[in-house]
Amino acid sequence: MAGVAESSEIATAVGSVSPQRLKVGDALALQDGNMLNGYELVYETYGTLNAAKSNAILVCHALSGHHHVAGEYADGSIGWWDNIVGPGRPLDTHRFFIVGVNNLGGCHGSTGPSSINPATGKEWGADFPIVTVEDWVESQARLADHFGIDAWAAVMGGSLGGMQALQWSLQLPERVRHALVIAASPKLSAENIAFNEVARQAILSDPDYVAGRRPERGLRLARMLGHITYLSDDQMADKFGRRLRHGEYRYGFDVEFEIESYLRHQGDKFASWFNADTYLRMTKALDYFDPARHHGGDLAAALRVARAKFFIAAFSTDWRFTPARSREMVNALVKNGQTVAYAEIDSPHGHDSFLIPDDYYHALVAAYLQRVTL
Amino acid sequence: MTDVMTDTRGNQICRADFSVIASWVQPGERVLDLGCGDGTLLSLLIEQRGAIGYGIELEDEAVLAAVKRGMNVIQSDLEAGLSGIGDATFDHVVLSRTLQAVRHTEGILREMLRVGREAVVSFPNFAYWKNRTAVMAGRMPVSEDLPYEWFNTPNLRFFTLLDFEALCAHMGLVIRAREVLDENGELVQQEHNFLGSLAVYRLAVR
């Protein structure tokens, strides 16, 4: 869920890309009761939509992601999931038309807290409505309409993106043929919500936020906390251990252990560009996601409506959304007699594993997508 | 009766028990194949018998091969993999040539009969005459259905048709059907515990 690819070792296979923008005139009735009278979605595409419009894959992003999934911008920034997209890669652009979109409420160009509220002529800021996974699916459907895509060949995502793929299959079951739900969960646990709440409190209690300014300290803390949950204990031990920056104890509160330095760096980097009101909303969208809620907690009953075939994958060291959480979805689908393949992938990289190239993982996604008929 | 199939490495393998198992599955029935490998049996049951099939498999290479075949494969440890599956989810739960490699023999049989109406189990018969001959000659048997040396076998338990039937009686399981095959995959009609190399059972709870 780092969201932004960090120094990808593999060069982009997609090449130069640039974002595009869709203006949606229709009003959107949000789950929180608010009405959004028109909005914009910023998106990117890779590959070519075929004449039958049957080869489109929607890639949904996670908490801090965006529409720049693959390829390279003029400024050199590479898409966050570039390693899996391109000619000959699992999301093969020779075969598929791949669409990345920035979610509503995001801070990368789609309508969100940093957009102008037409009613006031000022930035929405904290007044922007709360958006949910359901709202995102509804808005993303307008993008499918725009392309004339009746049904996505697949909707795919990791983490919160995986939840969107699942929600697509339930909310618009006729419009998604395959759902690839990776490193996700059918709902957050109390522990997951607890982490999100601490992150939100870090922002909400920052005096800068209260005063209407950019809460860099709060965002920094939120990201540091979040980042811990994206990694694994093993990986942290391996990468940092108890290594000291200065080789000896200094008995103070400056950076001493390398892990402190790393987290501070991650926090600073994130706080310098991410929108706090977006961060608050993304974490709420995670917390609210619970498709079984309308079925008395019965996940199988909730999933029964899906027409899609499923590919579900989890990673061995992911303690944020453990393999057991993915198994809940698998077991529900099996109970219903629905089509599902599930892989539990050995990886040391914790929750972030879904972003990191791995031979077995990528071979599975490629093999699964090979069977998708166009 | 022998079906010639290929394993994940492209080698031809004979899984004579597959045709017996397939003959017990009716169209539209739900089947769970434990240790489904590359999904060979599953695809047979789906394509030839019209079954709705799922498989549990632990090994990466086999899971990938099953995904390539488009099978409903669930990557999991066999014994842990059943725990989240609801009671009576399946019509048949198949354990082909694996019971001898499972530690908790009674536990897996009970779990199979919890998630399924019927358990279908095949295993090599240690009392097959060639095995007896090998032991009489002072060596552990290596055969079509026991294709390992003592030092590299994944098998943990060595038992015979009579042993297995005694266990079923002990556990209160009903044997609904039994087919016994020789090393060539031909059905054995008499002296099963002596002439049979591989046994296939349909079991239910009394």
Side-chain angles (χ1 to χ4, degrees), chain A residues 327 331 334-335 337-344 360 363-364 367-368 371, chain B residues 30 54 60 63-64 67-70 72-76 81 84-85 90:
Chain A
R327 278 301 302 270
N331 291 337
V334 170
K335 183 177 179 190
Q338 288 165 294
T339 299
V340 58
Y342 167 70
E344 189 179 319
Y360 177 52
L364 283 165
Y368 185 83
R371 294 193 61 93
Chain B
R30 288 213 210 163
Y54 294 83
D60 289 358
V63 172
L64 179 58
V67 167
K68 281 183 178 159
R69 280 174 183 266
N72 291 323
V73 61
I74 297 159
Q75 186 164 28
S76 174
I85 295 177
F90 295 95

PDB file of all heavy atoms in Angstrom, chain A residues 327 331 334-335 337-344 360 363-364 367-368 371, chain B residues 30 54 60 63-64 67-70 72-76 81 84-85 90:
ATOM      1  N   ARG A 327      -9.224 -16.185   3.061  1.00  0.00           N
ATOM      2  CA  ARG A 327      -9.900 -17.485   3.118  1.00  0.00           C
ATOM      3  C   ARG A 327     -11.387 -17.338   3.459  1.00  0.00           C
ATOM      4  O   ARG A 327     -12.214 -18.149   3.049  1.00  0.00           O
ATOM      5  CB  ARG A 327      -9.210 -18.411   4.133  1.00  0.00           C
ATOM      6  CG  ARG A 327      -7.972 -19.129   3.598  1.00  0.00           C
ATOM      7  CD  ARG A 327      -8.258 -20.012   2.387  1.00  0.00           C
ATOM      8  NE  ARG A 327      -9.266 -21.038   2.638  1.00  0.00           N
ATOM      9  CZ  ARG A 327      -9.004 -22.253   3.088  1.00  0.00           C
ATOM     10  NH1 ARG A 327      -7.771 -22.617   3.320  1.00  0.00           N
ATOM     11  NH2 ARG A 327      -9.974 -23.115   3.281  1.00  0.00           N
ATOM     12  N   ASN A 331     -13.949 -19.265   1.296  1.00  0.00           N
ATOM     13  CA  ASN A 331     -14.895 -20.213   1.881  1.00  0.00           C
ATOM     14  C   ASN A 331     -16.345 -19.837   1.558  1.00  0.00           C
ATOM     15  O   ASN A 331     -17.180 -20.708   1.316  1.00  0.00           O
ATOM     16  CB  ASN A 331     -14.691 -20.309   3.395  1.00  0.00           C
ATOM     17  CG  ASN A 331     -13.372 -20.978   3.750  1.00  0.00           C
ATOM     18  OD1 ASN A 331     -12.814 -21.732   2.957  1.00  0.00           O
ATOM     19  ND2 ASN A 331     -12.854 -20.695   4.930  1.00  0.00           N
ATOM     20  N   VAL A 334     -16.924 -20.801  -2.042  1.00  0.00           N
ATOM     21  CA  VAL A 334     -17.028 -22.262  -2.148  1.00  0.00           C
ATOM     22  C   VAL A 334     -18.398 -22.712  -1.654  1.00  0.00           C
ATOM     23  O   VAL A 334     -19.067 -23.544  -2.271  1.00  0.00           O
ATOM     24  CB  VAL A 334     -15.897 -22.956  -1.351  1.00  0.00           C
ATOM     25  CG1 VAL A 334     -16.143 -24.452  -1.240  1.00  0.00           C
ATOM     26  CG2 VAL A 334     -14.543 -22.694  -2.000  1.00  0.00           C
ATOM     27  N   LYS A 335     -18.830 -22.127  -0.560  1.00  0.00           N
ATOM     28  CA  LYS A 335     -20.148 -22.478  -0.011  1.00  0.00           C
ATOM     29  C   LYS A 335     -21.241 -22.249  -1.056  1.00  0.00           C
ATOM     30  O   LYS A 335     -22.182 -23.031  -1.163  1.00  0.00           O
ATOM     31  CB  LYS A 335     -20.415 -21.633   1.238  1.00  0.00           C
ATOM     32  CG  LYS A 335     -21.718 -21.977   1.931  1.00  0.00           C
ATOM     33  CD  LYS A 335     -21.928 -21.195   3.205  1.00  0.00           C
ATOM     34  CE  LYS A 335     -23.274 -21.595   3.816  1.00  0.00           C
ATOM     35  NZ  LYS A 335     -23.652 -20.701   4.917  1.00  0.00           N
ATOM     36  N   GLY A 337     -20.837 -22.364  -4.256  1.00  0.00           N
ATOM     37  CA  GLY A 337     -20.569 -23.054  -5.513  1.00  0.00           C
ATOM     38  C   GLY A 337     -20.077 -22.106  -6.597  1.00  0.00           C
ATOM     39  O   GLY A 337     -20.185 -22.402  -7.780  1.00  0.00           O
ATOM     40  N   GLN A 338     -19.517 -20.961  -6.193  1.00  0.00           N
ATOM     41  CA  GLN A 338     -19.020 -19.993  -7.169  1.00  0.00           C
ATOM     42  C   GLN A 338     -17.577 -20.333  -7.566  1.00  0.00           C
ATOM     43  O   GLN A 338     -16.904 -21.111  -6.894  1.00  0.00           O
ATOM     44  CB  GLN A 338     -19.129 -18.574  -6.579  1.00  0.00           C
ATOM     45  CG  GLN A 338     -20.577 -18.099  -6.499  1.00  0.00           C
ATOM     46  CD  GLN A 338     -20.762 -16.881  -5.593  1.00  0.00           C
ATOM     47  OE1 GLN A 338     -20.564 -16.970  -4.392  1.00  0.00           O
ATOM     48  NE2 GLN A 338     -21.145 -15.764  -6.180  1.00  0.00           N
ATOM     49  N   THR A 339     -17.153 -19.719  -8.659  1.00  0.00           N
ATOM     50  CA  THR A 339     -15.856 -20.054  -9.232  1.00  0.00           C
ATOM     51  C   THR A 339     -14.753 -19.228  -8.570  1.00  0.00           C
ATOM     52  O   THR A 339     -14.830 -17.996  -8.568  1.00  0.00           O
ATOM     53  CB  THR A 339     -15.889 -19.809 -10.749  1.00  0.00           C
ATOM     54  OG1 THR A 339     -16.895 -20.659 -11.296  1.00  0.00           O
ATOM     55  CG2 THR A 339     -14.561 -20.117 -11.401  1.00  0.00           C
ATOM     56  N   VAL A 340     -13.743 -19.907  -8.053  1.00  0.00           N
ATOM     57  CA  VAL A 340     -12.662 -19.181  -7.370  1.00  0.00           C
ATOM     58  C   VAL A 340     -11.361 -19.975  -7.413  1.00  0.00           C
ATOM     59  O   VAL A 340     -11.355 -21.194  -7.271  1.00  0.00           O
ATOM     60  CB  VAL A 340     -13.043 -18.861  -5.904  1.00  0.00           C
ATOM     61  CG1 VAL A 340     -13.370 -20.113  -5.112  1.00  0.00           C
ATOM     62  CG2 VAL A 340     -11.943 -18.066  -5.197  1.00  0.00           C
ATOM     63  N   ALA A 341     -10.274 -19.255  -7.634  1.00  0.00           N
ATOM     64  CA  ALA A 341      -8.938 -19.817  -7.438  1.00  0.00           C
ATOM     65  C   ALA A 341      -8.273 -18.974  -6.362  1.00  0.00           C
ATOM     66  O   ALA A 341      -8.400 -17.744  -6.357  1.00  0.00           O
ATOM     67  CB  ALA A 341      -8.128 -19.768  -8.726  1.00  0.00           C
ATOM     68  N   TYR A 342      -7.604 -19.652  -5.435  1.00  0.00           N
ATOM     69  CA  TYR A 342      -6.977 -18.934  -4.322  1.00  0.00           C
ATOM     70  C   TYR A 342      -5.533 -19.367  -4.164  1.00  0.00           C
ATOM     71  O   TYR A 342      -5.236 -20.557  -4.133  1.00  0.00           O
ATOM     72  CB  TYR A 342      -7.732 -19.197  -3.019  1.00  0.00           C
ATOM     73  CG  TYR A 342      -6.969 -18.753  -1.785  1.00  0.00           C
ATOM     74  CD1 TYR A 342      -6.790 -17.402  -1.524  1.00  0.00           C
ATOM     75  CD2 TYR A 342      -6.408 -19.674  -0.899  1.00  0.00           C
ATOM     76  CE1 TYR A 342      -6.080 -16.970  -0.403  1.00  0.00           C
ATOM     77  CE2 TYR A 342      -5.696 -19.259   0.221  1.00  0.00           C
ATOM     78  CZ  TYR A 342      -5.536 -17.905   0.461  1.00  0.00           C
ATOM     79  OH  TYR A 342      -4.829 -17.493   1.560  1.00  0.00           O
ATOM     80  N   ALA A 343      -4.653 -18.391  -4.053  1.00  0.00           N
ATOM     81  CA  ALA A 343      -3.243 -18.693  -3.819  1.00  0.00           C
ATOM     82  C   ALA A 343      -2.758 -17.982  -2.569  1.00  0.00           C
ATOM     83  O   ALA A 343      -3.088 -16.816  -2.345  1.00  0.00           O
ATOM     84  CB  ALA A 343      -2.402 -18.266  -5.017  1.00  0.00           C
ATOM     85  N   GLU A 344      -2.005 -18.720  -1.770  1.00  0.00           N
ATOM     86  CA  GLU A 344      -1.343 -18.103  -0.625  1.00  0.00           C
ATOM     87  C   GLU A 344       0.132 -18.054  -0.944  1.00  0.00           C
ATOM     88  O   GLU A 344       0.799 -19.085  -1.034  1.00  0.00           O
ATOM     89  CB  GLU A 344      -1.606 -18.913   0.643  1.00  0.00           C
ATOM     90  CG  GLU A 344      -1.117 -18.171   1.869  1.00  0.00           C
ATOM     91  CD  GLU A 344      -1.377 -18.932   3.161  1.00  0.00           C
ATOM     92  OE1 GLU A 344      -2.462 -19.522   3.297  1.00  0.00           O
ATOM     93  OE2 GLU A 344      -0.486 -18.924   4.020  1.00  0.00           O
ATOM     94  N   TYR A 360       6.292 -16.413  -8.715  1.00  0.00           N
ATOM     95  CA  TYR A 360       5.091 -17.234  -8.543  1.00  0.00           C
ATOM     96  C   TYR A 360       3.829 -16.375  -8.615  1.00  0.00           C
ATOM     97  O   TYR A 360       2.878 -16.705  -9.332  1.00  0.00           O
ATOM     98  CB  TYR A 360       5.178 -17.968  -7.207  1.00  0.00           C
ATOM     99  CG  TYR A 360       3.963 -18.794  -6.871  1.00  0.00           C
ATOM    100  CD1 TYR A 360       3.444 -19.724  -7.784  1.00  0.00           C
ATOM    101  CD2 TYR A 360       3.322 -18.660  -5.641  1.00  0.00           C
ATOM    102  CE1 TYR A 360       2.323 -20.480  -7.470  1.00  0.00           C
ATOM    103  CE2 TYR A 360       2.204 -19.419  -5.322  1.00  0.00           C
ATOM    104  CZ  TYR A 360       1.712 -20.324  -6.237  1.00  0.00           C
ATOM    105  OH  TYR A 360       0.605 -21.071  -5.933  1.00  0.00           O
ATOM    106  N   ALA A 363       3.306 -15.144 -12.141  1.00  0.00           N
ATOM    107  CA  ALA A 363       2.926 -16.271 -13.012  1.00  0.00           C
ATOM    108  C   ALA A 363       1.458 -16.644 -12.791  1.00  0.00           C
ATOM    109  O   ALA A 363       0.738 -16.975 -13.741  1.00  0.00           O
ATOM    110  CB  ALA A 363       3.821 -17.478 -12.746  1.00  0.00           C
ATOM    111  N   LEU A 364       1.009 -16.586 -11.555  1.00  0.00           N
ATOM    112  CA  LEU A 364      -0.396 -16.888 -11.250  1.00  0.00           C
ATOM    113  C   LEU A 364      -1.337 -15.890 -11.915  1.00  0.00           C
ATOM    114  O   LEU A 364      -2.327 -16.274 -12.541  1.00  0.00           O
ATOM    115  CB  LEU A 364      -0.630 -16.843  -9.739  1.00  0.00           C
ATOM    116  CG  LEU A 364      -0.154 -18.022  -8.899  1.00  0.00           C
ATOM    117  CD1 LEU A 364      -0.136 -17.633  -7.429  1.00  0.00           C
ATOM    118  CD2 LEU A 364      -1.049 -19.241  -9.115  1.00  0.00           C
ATOM    119  N   ALA A 367      -1.301 -16.468 -15.594  1.00  0.00           N
ATOM    120  CA  ALA A 367      -2.014 -17.703 -15.956  1.00  0.00           C
ATOM    121  C   ALA A 367      -3.516 -17.506 -15.826  1.00  0.00           C
ATOM    122  O   ALA A 367      -4.289 -17.960 -16.679  1.00  0.00           O
ATOM    123  CB  ALA A 367      -1.553 -18.856 -15.056  1.00  0.00           C
ATOM    124  N   TYR A 368      -3.922 -16.830 -14.772  1.00  0.00           N
ATOM    125  CA  TYR A 368      -5.361 -16.610 -14.576  1.00  0.00           C
ATOM    126  C   TYR A 368      -5.920 -15.745 -15.714  1.00  0.00           C
ATOM    127  O   TYR A 368      -6.953 -16.076 -16.316  1.00  0.00           O
ATOM    128  CB  TYR A 368      -5.643 -15.952 -13.217  1.00  0.00           C
ATOM    129  CG  TYR A 368      -7.124 -15.844 -12.966  1.00  0.00           C
ATOM    130  CD1 TYR A 368      -7.845 -16.930 -12.461  1.00  0.00           C
ATOM    131  CD2 TYR A 368      -7.836 -14.695 -13.301  1.00  0.00           C
ATOM    132  CE1 TYR A 368      -9.224 -16.866 -12.284  1.00  0.00           C
ATOM    133  CE2 TYR A 368      -9.211 -14.626 -13.140  1.00  0.00           C
ATOM    134  CZ  TYR A 368      -9.893 -15.707 -12.624  1.00  0.00           C
ATOM    135  OH  TYR A 368     -11.259 -15.637 -12.471  1.00  0.00           O
ATOM    136  N   ARG A 371      -6.684 -17.127 -19.266  1.00  0.00           N
ATOM    137  CA  ARG A 371      -7.928 -17.866 -19.486  1.00  0.00           C
ATOM    138  C   ARG A 371      -9.130 -16.957 -19.645  1.00  0.00           C
ATOM    139  O   ARG A 371     -10.231 -17.445 -19.908  1.00  0.00           O
ATOM    140  CB  ARG A 371      -8.153 -18.851 -18.337  1.00  0.00           C
ATOM    141  CG  ARG A 371      -7.120 -19.959 -18.296  1.00  0.00           C
ATOM    142  CD  ARG A 371      -7.549 -21.059 -17.367  1.00  0.00           C
ATOM    143  NE  ARG A 371      -8.791 -21.682 -17.775  1.00  0.00           N
ATOM    144  CZ  ARG A 371      -8.873 -22.769 -18.535  1.00  0.00           C
ATOM    145  NH1 ARG A 371      -7.783 -23.346 -18.973  1.00  0.00           N
ATOM    146  NH2 ARG A 371     -10.046 -23.278 -18.851  1.00  0.00           N
TER     147      ARG A 371
ATOM    148  N   ARG B  30     -21.201 -31.774  -6.408  1.00  0.00           N
ATOM    149  CA  ARG B  30     -20.066 -30.972  -5.972  1.00  0.00           C
ATOM    150  C   ARG B  30     -18.984 -31.869  -5.396  1.00  0.00           C
ATOM    151  O   ARG B  30     -19.241 -32.675  -4.521  1.00  0.00           O
ATOM    152  CB  ARG B  30     -20.515 -30.013  -4.884  1.00  0.00           C
ATOM    153  CG  ARG B  30     -21.360 -28.896  -5.422  1.00  0.00           C
ATOM    154  CD  ARG B  30     -21.062 -27.701  -4.580  1.00  0.00           C
ATOM    155  NE  ARG B  30     -22.208 -26.834  -4.505  1.00  0.00           N
ATOM    156  CZ  ARG B  30     -22.322 -25.903  -3.582  1.00  0.00           C
ATOM    157  NH1 ARG B  30     -21.403 -25.797  -2.641  1.00  0.00           N
ATOM    158  NH2 ARG B  30     -23.352 -25.107  -3.574  1.00  0.00           N
ATOM    159  N   TYR B  54     -13.818 -28.490  -6.914  1.00  0.00           N
ATOM    160  CA  TYR B  54     -12.837 -27.652  -6.222  1.00  0.00           C
ATOM    161  C   TYR B  54     -11.680 -28.541  -5.792  1.00  0.00           C
ATOM    162  O   TYR B  54     -11.878 -29.742  -5.561  1.00  0.00           O
ATOM    163  CB  TYR B  54     -13.430 -27.004  -4.966  1.00  0.00           C
ATOM    164  CG  TYR B  54     -14.521 -26.003  -5.259  1.00  0.00           C
ATOM    165  CD1 TYR B  54     -15.835 -26.425  -5.470  1.00  0.00           C
ATOM    166  CD2 TYR B  54     -14.241 -24.646  -5.335  1.00  0.00           C
ATOM    167  CE1 TYR B  54     -16.833 -25.505  -5.747  1.00  0.00           C
ATOM    168  CE2 TYR B  54     -15.233 -23.723  -5.610  1.00  0.00           C
ATOM    169  CZ  TYR B  54     -16.529 -24.159  -5.817  1.00  0.00           C
ATOM    170  OH  TYR B  54     -17.515 -23.255  -6.100  1.00  0.00           O
ATOM    171  N   ASP B  60       3.242 -24.831  -4.811  1.00  0.00           N
ATOM    172  CA  ASP B  60       3.129 -23.713  -5.745  1.00  0.00           C
ATOM    173  C   ASP B  60       3.003 -24.171  -7.200  1.00  0.00           C
ATOM    174  O   ASP B  60       2.126 -23.714  -7.933  1.00  0.00           O
ATOM    175  CB  ASP B  60       4.353 -22.799  -5.652  1.00  0.00           C
ATOM    176  CG  ASP B  60       4.390 -21.988  -4.359  1.00  0.00           C
ATOM    177  OD1 ASP B  60       3.445 -22.111  -3.556  1.00  0.00           O
ATOM    178  OD2 ASP B  60       5.359 -21.239  -4.164  1.00  0.00           O
ATOM    179  N   VAL B  63      -0.327 -25.677  -7.937  1.00  0.00           N
ATOM    180  CA  VAL B  63      -1.394 -24.670  -7.905  1.00  0.00           C
ATOM    181  C   VAL B  63      -1.382 -23.867  -9.205  1.00  0.00           C
ATOM    182  O   VAL B  63      -2.424 -23.643  -9.836  1.00  0.00           O
ATOM    183  CB  VAL B  63      -1.249 -23.726  -6.686  1.00  0.00           C
ATOM    184  CG1 VAL B  63      -2.231 -22.561  -6.769  1.00  0.00           C
ATOM    185  CG2 VAL B  63      -1.469 -24.503  -5.384  1.00  0.00           C
ATOM    186  N   LEU B  64      -0.192 -23.476  -9.613  1.00  0.00           N
ATOM    187  CA  LEU B  64      -0.063 -22.712 -10.859  1.00  0.00           C
ATOM    188  C   LEU B  64      -0.580 -23.530 -12.046  1.00  0.00           C
ATOM    189  O   LEU B  64      -1.317 -23.014 -12.896  1.00  0.00           O
ATOM    190  CB  LEU B  64       1.399 -22.310 -11.070  1.00  0.00           C
ATOM    191  CG  LEU B  64       1.725 -21.523 -12.343  1.00  0.00           C
ATOM    192  CD1 LEU B  64       0.921 -20.227 -12.411  1.00  0.00           C
ATOM    193  CD2 LEU B  64       3.220 -21.215 -12.409  1.00  0.00           C
ATOM    194  N   VAL B  67      -4.308 -23.548 -11.943  1.00  0.00           N
ATOM    195  CA  VAL B  67      -4.850 -22.254 -12.384  1.00  0.00           C
ATOM    196  C   VAL B  67      -4.803 -22.190 -13.909  1.00  0.00           C
ATOM    197  O   VAL B  67      -5.747 -21.726 -14.555  1.00  0.00           O
ATOM    198  CB  VAL B  67      -4.086 -21.069 -11.739  1.00  0.00           C
ATOM    199  CG1 VAL B  67      -4.430 -19.743 -12.417  1.00  0.00           C
ATOM    200  CG2 VAL B  67      -4.391 -20.990 -10.240  1.00  0.00           C
ATOM    201  N   LYS B  68      -3.707 -22.689 -14.493  1.00  0.00           N
ATOM    202  CA  LYS B  68      -3.594 -22.693 -15.960  1.00  0.00           C
ATOM    203  C   LYS B  68      -4.706 -23.511 -16.599  1.00  0.00           C
ATOM    204  O   LYS B  68      -5.153 -23.207 -17.693  1.00  0.00           O
ATOM    205  CB  LYS B  68      -2.230 -23.257 -16.383  1.00  0.00           C
ATOM    206  CG  LYS B  68      -1.117 -22.241 -16.250  1.00  0.00           C
ATOM    207  CD  LYS B  68       0.216 -22.771 -16.725  1.00  0.00           C
ATOM    208  CE  LYS B  68       1.279 -21.682 -16.618  1.00  0.00           C
ATOM    209  NZ  LYS B  68       2.631 -22.232 -16.586  1.00  0.00           N
ATOM    210  N   ARG B  69      -5.130 -24.554 -15.901  1.00  0.00           N
ATOM    211  CA  ARG B  69      -6.232 -25.376 -16.405  1.00  0.00           C
ATOM    212  C   ARG B  69      -7.594 -24.744 -16.124  1.00  0.00           C
ATOM    213  O   ARG B  69      -8.630 -25.297 -16.521  1.00  0.00           O
ATOM    214  CB  ARG B  69      -6.235 -26.733 -15.697  1.00  0.00           C
ATOM    215  CG  ARG B  69      -5.247 -27.738 -16.205  1.00  0.00           C
ATOM    216  CD  ARG B  69      -5.316 -28.936 -15.269  1.00  0.00           C
ATOM    217  NE  ARG B  69      -4.342 -29.934 -15.631  1.00  0.00           N
ATOM    218  CZ  ARG B  69      -4.621 -30.976 -16.431  1.00  0.00           C
ATOM    219  NH1 ARG B  69      -5.833 -31.131 -16.904  1.00  0.00           N
ATOM    220  NH2 ARG B  69      -3.689 -31.841 -16.730  1.00  0.00           N
ATOM    221  N   GLY B  70      -7.588 -23.660 -15.374  1.00  0.00           N
ATOM    222  CA  GLY B  70      -8.845 -22.994 -15.043  1.00  0.00           C
ATOM    223  C   GLY B  70      -9.614 -23.680 -13.929  1.00  0.00           C
ATOM    224  O   GLY B  70     -10.836 -23.563 -13.832  1.00  0.00           O
ATOM    225  N   ASN B  72     -10.827 -24.573  -9.997  1.00  0.00           N
ATOM    226  CA  ASN B  72     -11.082 -23.922  -8.717  1.00  0.00           C
ATOM    227  C   ASN B  72     -10.129 -24.515  -7.691  1.00  0.00           C
ATOM    228  O   ASN B  72     -10.475 -25.453  -6.976  1.00  0.00           O
ATOM    229  CB  ASN B  72     -12.513 -24.194  -8.246  1.00  0.00           C
ATOM    230  CG  ASN B  72     -13.545 -23.513  -9.105  1.00  0.00           C
ATOM    231  OD1 ASN B  72     -13.328 -22.398  -9.572  1.00  0.00           O
ATOM    232  ND2 ASN B  72     -14.663 -24.168  -9.296  1.00  0.00           N
ATOM    233  N   VAL B  73      -8.929 -23.968  -7.653  1.00  0.00           N
ATOM    234  CA  VAL B  73      -7.923 -24.529  -6.745  1.00  0.00           C
ATOM    235  C   VAL B  73      -7.723 -23.588  -5.560  1.00  0.00           C
ATOM    236  O   VAL B  73      -7.715 -22.370  -5.714  1.00  0.00           O
ATOM    237  CB  VAL B  73      -6.592 -24.807  -7.486  1.00  0.00           C
ATOM    238  CG1 VAL B  73      -5.993 -23.535  -8.061  1.00  0.00           C
ATOM    239  CG2 VAL B  73      -5.578 -25.502  -6.581  1.00  0.00           C
ATOM    240  N   ILE B  74      -7.601 -24.163  -4.398  1.00  0.00           N
ATOM    241  CA  ILE B  74      -7.407 -23.390  -3.174  1.00  0.00           C
ATOM    242  C   ILE B  74      -6.073 -23.802  -2.582  1.00  0.00           C
ATOM    243  O   ILE B  74      -5.879 -24.976  -2.250  1.00  0.00           O
ATOM    244  CB  ILE B  74      -8.550 -23.671  -2.178  1.00  0.00           C
ATOM    245  CG1 ILE B  74      -9.873 -23.206  -2.762  1.00  0.00           C
ATOM    246  CG2 ILE B  74      -8.279 -23.009  -0.832  1.00  0.00           C
ATOM    247  CD1 ILE B  74     -11.077 -23.859  -2.118  1.00  0.00           C
ATOM    248  N   GLN B  75      -5.163 -22.853  -2.487  1.00  0.00           N
ATOM    249  CA  GLN B  75      -3.839 -23.206  -1.973  1.00  0.00           C
ATOM    250  C   GLN B  75      -3.872 -23.259  -0.460  1.00  0.00           C
ATOM    251  O   GLN B  75      -4.089 -22.250   0.211  1.00  0.00           O
ATOM    252  CB  GLN B  75      -2.780 -22.202  -2.443  1.00  0.00           C
ATOM    253  CG  GLN B  75      -1.377 -22.645  -2.032  1.00  0.00           C
ATOM    254  CD  GLN B  75      -0.283 -21.931  -2.782  1.00  0.00           C
ATOM    255  OE1 GLN B  75      -0.458 -20.800  -3.226  1.00  0.00           O
ATOM    256  NE2 GLN B  75       0.855 -22.590  -2.927  1.00  0.00           N
ATOM    257  N   SER B  76      -3.658 -24.444   0.038  1.00  0.00           N
ATOM    258  CA  SER B  76      -3.727 -24.614   1.485  1.00  0.00           C
ATOM    259  C   SER B  76      -3.112 -25.937   1.882  1.00  0.00           C
ATOM    260  O   SER B  76      -3.048 -26.871   1.095  1.00  0.00           O
ATOM    261  CB  SER B  76      -5.191 -24.575   1.926  1.00  0.00           C
ATOM    262  OG  SER B  76      -5.297 -24.875   3.294  1.00  0.00           O
ATOM    263  N   GLY B  81      -6.809 -26.910   5.608  1.00  0.00           N
ATOM    264  CA  GLY B  81      -7.628 -26.315   4.551  1.00  0.00           C
ATOM    265  C   GLY B  81      -9.111 -26.573   4.676  1.00  0.00           C
ATOM    266  O   GLY B  81      -9.923 -25.829   4.136  1.00  0.00           O
ATOM    267  N   GLY B  84     -12.241 -24.162   7.438  1.00  0.00           N
ATOM    268  CA  GLY B  84     -13.180 -23.064   7.192  1.00  0.00           C
ATOM    269  C   GLY B  84     -14.356 -23.449   6.316  1.00  0.00           C
ATOM    270  O   GLY B  84     -15.230 -22.627   6.055  1.00  0.00           O
ATOM    271  N   ILE B  85     -14.378 -24.670   5.843  1.00  0.00           N
ATOM    272  CA  ILE B  85     -15.432 -25.085   4.924  1.00  0.00           C
ATOM    273  C   ILE B  85     -16.611 -25.639   5.722  1.00  0.00           C
ATOM    274  O   ILE B  85     -16.438 -26.424   6.663  1.00  0.00           O
ATOM    275  CB  ILE B  85     -14.886 -26.113   3.908  1.00  0.00           C
ATOM    276  CG1 ILE B  85     -13.822 -25.435   3.031  1.00  0.00           C
ATOM    277  CG2 ILE B  85     -16.007 -26.685   3.042  1.00  0.00           C
ATOM    278  CD1 ILE B  85     -13.142 -26.336   2.039  1.00  0.00           C
ATOM    279  N   PHE B  90     -20.104 -30.473   0.192  1.00  0.00           N
ATOM    280  CA  PHE B  90     -19.826 -31.254  -1.016  1.00  0.00           C
ATOM    281  C   PHE B  90     -20.569 -32.592  -1.025  1.00  0.00           C
ATOM    282  O   PHE B  90     -20.911 -33.133   0.029  1.00  0.00           O
ATOM    283  CB  PHE B  90     -18.316 -31.521  -1.115  1.00  0.00           C
ATOM    284  CG  PHE B  90     -17.524 -30.262  -1.312  1.00  0.00           C
ATOM    285  CD1 PHE B  90     -16.967 -29.602  -0.228  1.00  0.00           C
ATOM    286  CD2 PHE B  90     -17.381 -29.711  -2.573  1.00  0.00           C
ATOM    287  CE1 PHE B  90     -16.265 -28.419  -0.407  1.00  0.00           C
ATOM    288  CE2 PHE B  90     -16.682 -28.530  -2.761  1.00  0.00           C
ATOM    289  CZ  PHE B  90     -16.122 -27.886  -1.676  1.00  0.00           C
TER     290      PHE B  90
END
